[in-house]
Amino acid sequence: MRIEKRPHVSILWLVSAPLLASLAALILSAALIIWAGQSPLRAYQELVLAALGSRGGLAETLSYATPLIFTGLAAAIAFRAKFWNIGGEGQLYIGACAATALGTGILTAPPVILIPLLFIAGALAGGILLVIPVILKTALRVDEVVTTLLLNFIVLLVVSFLIEGPWRDPMALGWPQAAPIIDEGVLPKLLDRTRLHIGFLVAVGCAVISWFVMQRTVWGFEIRAVGLAATAAAFAGMRVTRVVVIAALISGAMAGMAGVSEVAGLKGYMTLDLSPGFGYTGIAVAMLAGLHLLAVVPAAIFLSAVYVGADSMSRTLDIPTYLADVLVALSVLAILVCTVFARYRLRFS
């Protein structure tokens, strides 16, 4: 038995792979639900109804999906160029720091001016944070997985210092948090009496623009070419180092905007628990989407529905909420398996 590459990869199979992976994850997770003494059909029904069956549930799902779209785009763009950015969490927090620095009263302007400035500042901060890892990779061949991952912890320590020290809100009654974003910088709500804000539309817009750039521009072609075969791209005259740097900066910018959407749209102020792991979950979103930038949006909504619905399922049926993490992990593993069998086949002789 040997593994050989398929001469032709079916587009239908590649498109259906994420759906099959999600279905496989649900089937495998059903065993854990049965082990917990509950019916899988009832559990999944409760999950779907809680996440999508009401106006409030749908709004909460889309709100949770907003940072996942940003961090999913960050991972997908970087991975397309074979730059393994694992630092989305740190870039999210540094983007939140930039929004806090500008949006707490230092700069006053109408919302139509201040809100775009906050997103621009967060994008710049996230991109600048990746300058060190990308230089170390391109100049010294240092593994970017290590450098981007370690930067997450450094940024969290910096955030902890800021909210416990110079940025601490004196009106927070001792709670470690920064001063709140002024009203002109708060993202408007899309639906009244919900947490869904215009950051969701910004995230979807970024997905559409990123896809257009990746598929219809010279920059996007160079990123895809370098990711597929860097040596061949260099032989064709492309400046591989420059392309990797551009992809990394765009990736960091996307993750930085996730921090802006959370601090200016959801919480209103920066805390150390601003993100429950959006930067890491964004990698799962990108993998589930097959690194397709438009597919990042439904992949993020699917995973956010799992997390939002798991809370209600846990309260109603007494099933641990950790089942959501199991579903996400199984989905990523399943999509990897499906992608491998889409491109390779087993040959018996």
Side-chain angles (χ1 to χ4, degrees):
M1 182 182 69
R2 68 179 187 274
I3 299 176
E4 64 179 26
K5 193 170 185 178
R6 295 181 185 272
H8 174 70
V9 180
S10 172
I11 300 299
L12 178 62
W13 175 253
L14 288 177
V15 172
S16 60
L19 299 177
L20 294 175
S22 302
L23 180 61
L26 293 174
I27 294 173
L28 293 173
S29 299
L32 298 177
I33 298 175
I34 295 173
W35 191 9
Q38 298 293 340
S39 167
L41 292 179
R42 186 185 175 194
Y44 290 146
Q45 181 184 17
E46 184 65 32
L47 187 149
V48 172
L49 289 177
L52 306 173
S54 65
R55 177 178 179 271
L58 179 60
E60 186 64 24
T61 298
L62 297 181
S63 175
Y64 197 97
T66 300
L68 292 182
I69 295 174
F70 282 120
T71 55
L73 290 173
I77 292 171
F79 290 2
R80 278 292 190 94
K82 290 296 188 294
F83 182 83
W84 309 112
N85 178 20
I86 315 297
E89 190 80 354
Q91 293 142 33
L92 182 151
Y93 272 98
I94 206 68
C97 287
T100 302
L102 289 181
T104 52
I106 296 177
L107 179 64
T108 57
V112 70
I113 296 177
L114 184 57
I115 290 176
L117 284 179
L118 294 184
F119 274 108
I120 293 173
L124 289 175
I128 291 173
L129 185 64
L130 266 183
V131 169
I132 297 175
V134 76
I135 290 177
L136 290 175
K137 173 184 173 62
T138 55
L140 302 176
R141 298 294 185 268
V142 177
D143 189 353
E144 70 273 19
V145 173
V146 176
T147 53
T148 54
L149 180 63
L150 293 180
L151 269 178
N152 290 338
F153 301 100
I154 296 174
V155 171
L156 284 175
L157 290 174
V158 171
V159 170
S160 179
F161 164 75
L162 290 174
I163 62 178
E164 292 278 3
W167 285 5
R168 186 164 186 165
D169 184 8
M171 304 299 293
L173 301 177
W175 291 101
Q177 66 183 50
I181 303 293
I182 60 176
D183 293 341
E184 291 80 3
V186 174
L187 304 184
K189 302 297 182 188
L190 290 178
L191 293 175
D192 293 335
R193 297 188 299 277
T194 68
R195 303 201 302 169
L196 181 62
H197 52 80
I198 64 168
F200 176 75
L201 299 182
V202 176
V204 174
C206 286
V208 174
I209 294 172
S210 300
W211 172 83
F212 180 83
V213 171
M214 189 68 69
Q215 299 297 132
R216 297 289 187 269
T217 66
V218 175
W219 277 5
F221 174 77
E222 290 180 342
I223 290 174
R224 289 185 284 122
V226 169
L228 290 173
T231 303
F235 183 77
M238 298 181 190
R239 299 170 61 182
V240 174
T241 299
R242 181 178 65 89
V243 171
V244 173
V245 170
I246 291 174
L249 294 180
I250 296 175
S251 172
M254 291 295 172
M257 286 194 287
V260 177
S261 73
E262 287 300 285
V263 76
L266 200 62
K267 298 204 82 170
Y269 50 85
M270 189 172 66
T271 61
L272 201 58
D273 61 349
L274 182 68
S275 167
F278 290 133
Y280 301 110
T281 309
I283 299 173
V285 171
M287 298 304 297
L288 188 60
L291 302 186
H292 192 288
L293 299 182
L294 286 182
V296 163
V297 176
I301 294 174
F302 169 73
L303 293 189
S304 65
V306 169
Y307 280 112
V308 171
D311 289 334
S312 177
M313 184 177 62
S314 175
R315 292 191 301 268
T316 305
L317 303 178
D318 196 25
I319 297 176
T321 55
Y322 295 111
L323 179 67
D325 296 315
V326 174
L327 268 172
V328 172
L330 288 176
S331 298
V332 174
L333 291 175
I335 190 62
L336 291 176
V337 173
C338 290
T339 303
V340 168
F341 281 103
R343 300 182 182 277
Y344 298 88
R345 63 186 177 187
L346 297 177
R347 176 71 71 182
F348 297 91
S349 60

